[in-house]
Amino acid sequence: MARYRQDASETRRRQRCRPLRNIDYSDRYQQHFTLGSDISTRDRDGIHKTFSGLMKLIYPGGEATQEEIEELLRFAVEGRKRVKDQALPPPVATAGTYWA
């Protein structure tokens, strides 16, 4: 019996979220903030998609204050940084080089 309720609630959640698939919030932060020019296109796209997804989950109506947008943008940038740090091999120390 509990399994049926869980499946029904999951179905309702999916039905509520489906219309958000066609909405793009990736440009909402650009009214207040800009990303540095040193960010690659791949990183910029990742940040945009993460920011848009967070907006859809936390503020599905798209209404967020500048402070809330800043917080989500920081999460998106930090998330992209972590992905990049995990994807790149650690630097190799050579003779005379020290890593802190």
Side-chain angles (χ1 to χ4, degrees), residues 33-75:
F33 307 100
T34 57
L35 297 176
S37 60
D38 58 333
I39 297 177
S40 71
T41 302
R42 179 176 289 211
D43 291 339
R44 189 176 301 274
D45 289 346
I47 291 168
H48 284 178
K49 289 181 181 191
T50 302
F51 176 80
S52 182
L54 289 171
M55 279 290 292
K56 289 177 190 180
L57 289 172
I58 299 172
Y59 306 106
E63 300 298 323
T65 65
Q66 182 175 345
E67 292 80 20
E68 293 165 339
I69 289 172
E70 179 181 8
E71 184 177 21
L72 294 182
L73 184 58
R74 286 183 186 274
F75 281 133

Side-chain angles (χ1 to χ4, degrees), residues 82-94:
R82 289 181 184 217
V83 165
K84 216 170 168 175
D85 289 347
Q86 289 180 2
L88 296 175
V92 178
T94 57

